[in-house]
Amino acid sequence: MSDIKIRNFHWGKDFKRIIKIVQEVWFFDAPTKRIGYLNALNFMLHYLNIATHIVVTVDEHDNATGILGLTTKQDQPLFRQNRFICCKARALEFTSKVALYFWPQALVSRLFNGIFFENYQKLRKMVPNPQDPEFLVMIVDPKIKGKGLGRALVQAGEDILKSKGFNQYYLLTDSSCDVGFYERLKMDKVLDVSLCFDIKHEPAYDHYLVGFLRGLIYVRNI
Ligand SMILES: CC(C)(COP(=O)(O)OP(=O)(O)OC[C@H]1O[C@@H](n2cnc3c(N)ncnc32)[C@H](O)[C@@H]1OP(=O)(O)O)[C@@H](O)C(=O)NCCC(=O)NCCS
């Protein structure tokens, strides 16, 4: 783990690479690659636009291989600190949302995203200490999963929070994610509820959506 390199996120250098990873991991089964790309953009910017701290793991060529975005709730979101990046990120999020909305082939993705965000809003209302910092999003290049990058990202996020005087944070997730990772890190599961995904009538997604997922909240003392 000591040879894993982590640095702060850099928009120009890392953004495209991270979106590619997200598309590969979460939107590989979108009807077309372009819809997968728009989904990845929309999904990631939903979180990155509110993140106050973003760190990435990098390979020997300084290319991003994983990302963690978190919010302390007290600092200014990172992208807002730079007017150019702020405008670009907001515009991209808006454009991807509109494009997905009007693209007939993106119907299932749109329904899926809508239900996903709605469910997470419900889950957010059940957080025991909503004023605490939140780990918003974390993902590692699937080609190098299981090599300690996820653990290193969590450690880096916790170091940031500790240096700012926080002693607790939480994260929301669901059973379609690699929740075994959080169990392995011995995070405290404080909520486990059923989340309904009622788009079973869409044949394209029958294999993927079994009608419900577990919504989970983990809390960690640091
Ligand atoms: C979850 C994720 C970030 C973990 O990153 P990673 O680099 O593969 O994890 P690490 O190699 O640091 O694993 C740390 C420990 O957790 C274990 N672990 C990792 N993923 C696990 C899983 N799905 N189930 C059980 N244990 C897991 C590892 O075996 C390792 O254990 P060890 O210390 O005993 O060897 C990564 O798998 C990923 O990007 N998943 C897809 C996206 C996702 O689900 N993100 C999180 C939820 S939103």
Side-chain angles (χ1 to χ4, degrees):
M1 173 164 163
S2 54
D3 56 352
I4 295 173
K5 276 182 28 191
I6 298 204
R7 59 163 171 76
N8 288 329
F9 172 84
H10 185 275
W11 174 279
K13 201 165 168 42
D14 305 324
F15 187 69
K16 276 193 188 148
R17 196 168 292 271
I18 291 297
I19 294 301
K20 201 164 167 268
I21 294 175
V22 172
Q23 186 175 353
E24 227 171 277
V25 173
W26 278 321
F27 300 105
F28 61 90
D29 58 353
T32 67
K33 279 204 166 160
R34 200 162 291 175
I35 291 174
Y37 171 74
L38 288 169
N39 266 317
L41 260 188
N42 191 241
F43 180 84
M44 239 6 218
L45 286 169
H46 178 79
Y47 292 112
L48 295 186
N49 273 331
I50 57 168
T52 59
H53 297 80
I54 307 174
V55 286
V56 289
T57 48
V58 291
D59 64 14
E60 66 276 23
H61 306 294
D62 201 41
N63 295 322
T65 50
I67 187 166
L68 166 72
L70 64 89
T71 171
T72 60
K73 313 259 174 81
Q74 291 176 10
D75 300 288
Q76 192 185 37
L78 190 68
F79 292 172
R80 282 217 210 130
Q81 293 165 26
N82 177 315
R83 191 183 289 198
F84 170 72
I85 293 176
C86 181
C87 293
K88 196 160 177 174
R90 298 268 162 198
L92 274 176
E93 188 184 1
F94 179 76
T95 312
S96 58
K97 198 181 281 180
V98 172
L100 286 171
Y101 192 82
F102 286 107
W103 201 324
Q105 266 188 293
L107 170 74
V108 174
S109 305
R110 188 161 71 242
L111 288 172
F112 180 86
N113 291 359
I115 295 167
F116 179 87
F117 287 134
E118 200 178 297
N119 271 323
Y120 268 64
Q121 258 168 24
K122 280 189 209 148
L123 205 54
R124 185 153 277 119
K125 290 194 183 121
M126 299 178 217
V127 171
N129 295 305
Q131 74 286 355
D132 280 349
E134 177 181 349
F135 275 17
L136 295 165
V137 65
M138 180 161 66
I139 190 161
V140 161
D141 185 337
K143 292 188 281 300
I144 42 176
K145 268 168 83 162
K147 294 202 180 334
L149 273 63
R151 195 187 277 275
L153 284 167
V154 167
Q155 187 61 55
E158 291 181 357
D159 288 347
I160 292 170
L161 294 179
K162 264 194 265 179
S163 73
K164 294 186 143 283
F166 295 102
N167 55 17
Q168 191 168 291
Y169 68 93
Y170 70 89
L171 62 90
L172 311 179
T173 186
D174 68 64
S175 51
S176 74
C177 293
D178 282 324
V179 289
F181 171 72
Y182 301 122
E183 297 286 337
R184 180 76 188 93
L185 265 53
K186 297 196 167 54
M187 296 197 178
D188 291 335
K189 184 160 66 186
V190 294
L191 190 90
D192 182 342
V193 290
S194 178
L195 296 177
C196 181
F197 276 89
D198 192 17
I199 57 173
K200 280 185 291 179
H201 60 283
E202 293 293 343
Y205 271 69
D206 268 0
H207 67 289
Y208 181 58
L209 294 172
V210 287
F212 73 92
L213 288 174
R214 309 296 303 169
L216 307 152
I217 301 178
Y218 286 91
V219 168
R220 167 94 124 181
N221 290 308
I222 46 179

